């Protein structure tokens, strides 16, 4: 009997303990989410974070407007430019040509009002909902009465920028950039790194020895690089390297990377003077500041003043160009790739525009990509500047 009387009380105690444990658990979870909420609140309250978010928002709006303007401008061009004339000329009958023509027009939405075409274009470039696109069509049979999507050529894209119709037949913009960007980026990033490695010390030496032999030689180098036309210089370097056996056309399949020494040398030679000129200018301007005079009055050595104080402050305006230089390396160099016939992205946009018949979709896609790269570079430049100098505020 005693055991039977104790069981209910034991159950009540266990129930109370479980309730207490549950209350404690929910209390801990509430405190946890409260801490997370406070952290998020303070994070978004930070002026720098708010500035970055506003800049991202304004950049997206600008990119959206740029894409819209490019789309509308290209729609002014006759729609016949979207046809592959070479493919049409190989067709055996006028009926086949007409079916092909109407299929392509339907693909680009020319059978719909302009506002509907624009709405489809916005849907394609905004990576929110994936869509399936047909990259190549074929005739159903020999009657040429209908064209359907070629088996295996229907793919899903989150962001569809179109495909080349002229230069790279039926290849998507992403596929073209994926094959060409690594080449341009590799050449440009190496040239950029070497430029900074040589340009900064040269500018420092010129500023430190203002009016002396080193400064005069450096200024002569700068004037020479500004006076010499870039294309002429690239051609001269190409001829010199050709005589050394290093001027042949670059081919990724052959992996003849020695050919790239010429374009890298030419890009570095023309880029170093500009870098050195700005470093010298900012350091000379800082050299007359009050804090430099105060440091000299305290008896600090010129080397310590130059490298500890002057260079640190003079580098702030130059730091802003770092992201643009490295992000811009993706686009490549038009002159270098043209002279050395490098299959990169440097001359891709110009070639697409100057072709016998402009490659409209390629021009449209590249314009959007390059605009996005520019906006990212400017945004990163602002952020890097703040970290380089805490005195600079991006907000009021």
């Amino acid at each position: 009997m005693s055991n039977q009387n104790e069981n209910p009380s034991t159950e009540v105690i266990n129930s109370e303990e479980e309730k207490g444990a549950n209350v404690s658990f929910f209390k801990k979870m509430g405190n946890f989410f409260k801490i997370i909420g406070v952290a998020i609140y303070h994070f978004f309250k930070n002026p720098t974070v708010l500035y970055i978010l506003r800049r991202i928002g304004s950049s997206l709006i600008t990119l959206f407007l740029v894409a819209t303007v490019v789309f509308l401008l290209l729609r002014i061009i006759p729609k016949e430019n979207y046809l592959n004339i070479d493919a049409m000329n190989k067709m055996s009958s006028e009926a086949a040509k007409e079916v092909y023509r109407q299929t392509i027009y339907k693909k680009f939405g020319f059978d719909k009002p302009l506002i509907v075409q624009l709405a489809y274009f916005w849907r394609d470039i905004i990576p929110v909902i994936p869509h399936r696109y047909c990259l190549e069509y074929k005739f159903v049979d020999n009657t040429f009465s209908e064209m359907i999507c070629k088996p295996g050529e229907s793919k899903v894209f989150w962001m569809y920028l179109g495909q080349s119709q002229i230069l790279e037949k039926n290849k998507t913009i992403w596929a073209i950039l994926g094959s060409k960007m690594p080449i341009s980026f590799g050449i440009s990033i190496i040239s950029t790194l070497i430029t900074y490695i040589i340009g900064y010390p040269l500018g420092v030496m010129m500023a430190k020895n203002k009016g002396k032999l080193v400064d005069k030689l450096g200024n002569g180098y700068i004037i020479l690089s500004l006076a010499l036309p870039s294309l002429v210089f690239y051609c001269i370097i190409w001829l010199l390297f050709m005589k050394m056996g290093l001027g042949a056309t670059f081919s990724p399949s052959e992996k003849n990377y020695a050919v790239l020494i010429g374009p890298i040398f030419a890009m570095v030679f023309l880029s170093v003077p500009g870098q050195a000129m700005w470093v010298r200018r900012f350091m000379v301007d800082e050299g007359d500041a009050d804090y430099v005079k105060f440091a000299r009055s305290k008896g600090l050595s010129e080397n310590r003043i130059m490298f500890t104080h002057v260079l640190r402050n003079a580098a702030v305006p130059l730091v802003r160009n770092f992201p643009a230089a490295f992000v811009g390396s993706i686009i490549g160099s038009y002159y270098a790739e043209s002279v050395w016939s490098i299959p990169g992205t440097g001359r891709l946009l110009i070639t697409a525009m100057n072709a016998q018949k402009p490659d409209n979709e390629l021009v449209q896609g590249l314009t959007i990509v390059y605009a996005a790269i520019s906006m990212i570079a400017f945004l990163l430049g602002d952020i890097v500047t703040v970290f380089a100098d805490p005195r600079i505020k991006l907000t009021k």
Side-chain angles (χ1 to χ4, degrees):
M1 293 294 293
S2 60
N3 292 337
Q4 292 179 356
N5 292 333
E6 292 176 358
N7 289 337
S9 61
T10 303
E11 292 176 359
V12 171
I13 293 172
N14 291 336
S15 177
E16 292 295 333
E17 290 178 351
E18 290 177 0
K19 289 181 180 179
N22 291 335
V23 171
S24 177
F25 171 77
F26 288 119
K27 187 176 181 180
K28 290 179 180 178
M29 292 298 297
N31 291 333
F32 172 76
F33 285 114
K34 183 178 179 180
I35 294 172
I36 296 297
V38 171
I40 294 174
Y41 171 76
H42 285 290
F43 176 77
F44 285 103
K45 194 178 178 180
N46 185 285
T48 303
V49 173
L50 290 175
Y51 173 82
I52 293 172
L53 292 176
R54 284 198 295 267
R55 278 294 306 272
I56 292 174
S58 62
S59 297
L60 291 176
I61 293 173
T62 304
L63 182 61
F64 186 78
L65 294 175
V66 168
T68 302
V69 171
V70 171
F71 172 85
L72 295 175
L73 288 176
L74 289 177
R75 283 300 185 267
I76 299 175
I77 299 174
K79 58 184 180 181
E80 286 76 14
N81 284 357
Y82 287 85
L83 302 174
N84 191 323
I85 302 301
D86 293 335
M88 288 184 64
N89 292 335
K90 295 178 182 179
M91 296 178 185
S92 57
S93 66
E94 291 298 325
K97 294 179 182 179
E98 183 60 26
V99 171
Y100 168 78
R101 184 181 293 107
Q102 296 303 322
T103 301
I104 298 301
Y105 289 168
K106 185 176 181 180
K107 174 184 177 181
F108 290 110
F110 292 125
D111 58 332
K112 297 178 176 62
L114 182 61
I115 188 65
V116 177
Q117 298 178 37
L118 183 58
Y120 285 155
F121 172 70
W122 286 338
R123 180 201 65 182
D124 291 344
I125 65 173
I126 298 175
V128 177
I129 302 174
H131 296 279
R132 182 172 292 276
Y133 299 92
C134 183
L135 304 181
E136 189 174 353
Y137 289 87
K138 73 169 186 175
F139 288 103
V140 175
D141 50 39
N142 293 331
T143 62
F144 306 116
S145 59
E146 183 184 0
M147 292 187 77
I148 62 172
C149 189
K150 184 177 179 180
E153 291 299 327
S154 177
K155 297 183 180 180
V156 175
F157 293 89
W158 280 93
M159 185 178 182
Y160 181 72
L161 297 178
Q163 60 189 117
S164 173
Q165 301 294 323
I166 308 299
L167 298 180
E168 303 278 351
K169 183 182 175 183
N170 294 328
K171 288 186 68 174
T172 64
I173 308 302
W174 291 122
I176 295 171
L177 293 176
S179 62
K180 295 181 178 295
M181 267 190 176
I183 301 173
S184 296
F185 182 74
I187 298 171
S188 298
I189 200 67
I190 292 174
S191 303
T192 301
L193 289 172
I194 297 175
T195 297
Y196 277 106
I197 291 173
I198 298 176
Y200 257 77
L202 178 59
V204 172
M205 291 174 61
M206 292 171 63
K208 186 179 177 182
N209 299 277
K210 181 181 176 182
K212 297 181 180 179
L213 179 61
V214 174
D215 189 31
K216 292 179 180 179
L217 291 175
N219 282 317
Y221 177 24
I222 292 172
I223 295 172
L224 175 64
S225 67
L226 294 175
L228 187 63
S230 299
L231 183 58
V232 174
F233 179 76
Y234 276 103
C235 292
I236 292 173
I237 296 301
W238 181 81
L239 290 173
L240 291 176
F241 277 77
M242 177 68 76
K243 291 185 177 181
M244 293 187 294
L246 298 174
T249 302
F250 173 71
S251 175
S253 58
E254 297 178 4
K255 298 182 179 181
N256 52 340
Y257 296 110
V259 176
L260 300 179
I261 297 176
I264 291 174
F265 172 80
M267 293 168 67
V268 170
F269 186 89
L270 293 179
S271 300
V272 165
Q275 194 69 50
M277 178 180 66
W278 285 107
V279 172
R280 178 191 180 279
R281 175 183 172 181
F282 286 124
M283 290 194 67
V284 170
D285 291 343
E286 290 292 327
D288 296 328
D290 291 337
Y291 72 89
V292 175
K293 297 176 181 178
F294 179 71
R296 287 197 180 103
S297 66
K298 290 176 64 177
L300 296 179
S301 65
E302 286 297 320
N303 285 334
R304 184 175 179 183
I305 295 173
M306 186 66 64
F307 291 101
T308 305
H309 299 285
V310 176
L311 180 59
R312 182 179 178 183
N313 287 280
V316 172
L318 298 167
V319 165
R320 194 177 189 279
N321 296 325
F322 285 174
F326 288 99
V327 176
S329 299
I330 298 174
I331 300 175
S333 169
Y334 174 75
Y335 285 150
E337 295 182 13
S338 298
V339 173
W340 273 268
S341 299
I342 299 171
T345 55
R347 55 177 180 161
L348 188 58
L349 181 59
I350 303 297
T351 305
M353 296 174 65
N354 292 336
Q356 188 173 2
K357 190 175 75 169
D359 200 332
N360 294 343
E361 276 208 291
L362 184 56
V363 172
Q364 178 179 277
L366 291 177
T367 302
I368 295 172
V369 172
Y370 292 167
I373 290 174
S374 299
M375 293 174 190
I376 292 172
F378 285 125
L379 176 60
L380 292 177
D382 286 346
I383 297 173
V384 169
T385 303
V386 172
F387 285 105
D389 189 352
R391 297 172 299 176
I392 297 177
K393 302 296 181 183
L394 297 178
T395 55
K396 294 181 181 180

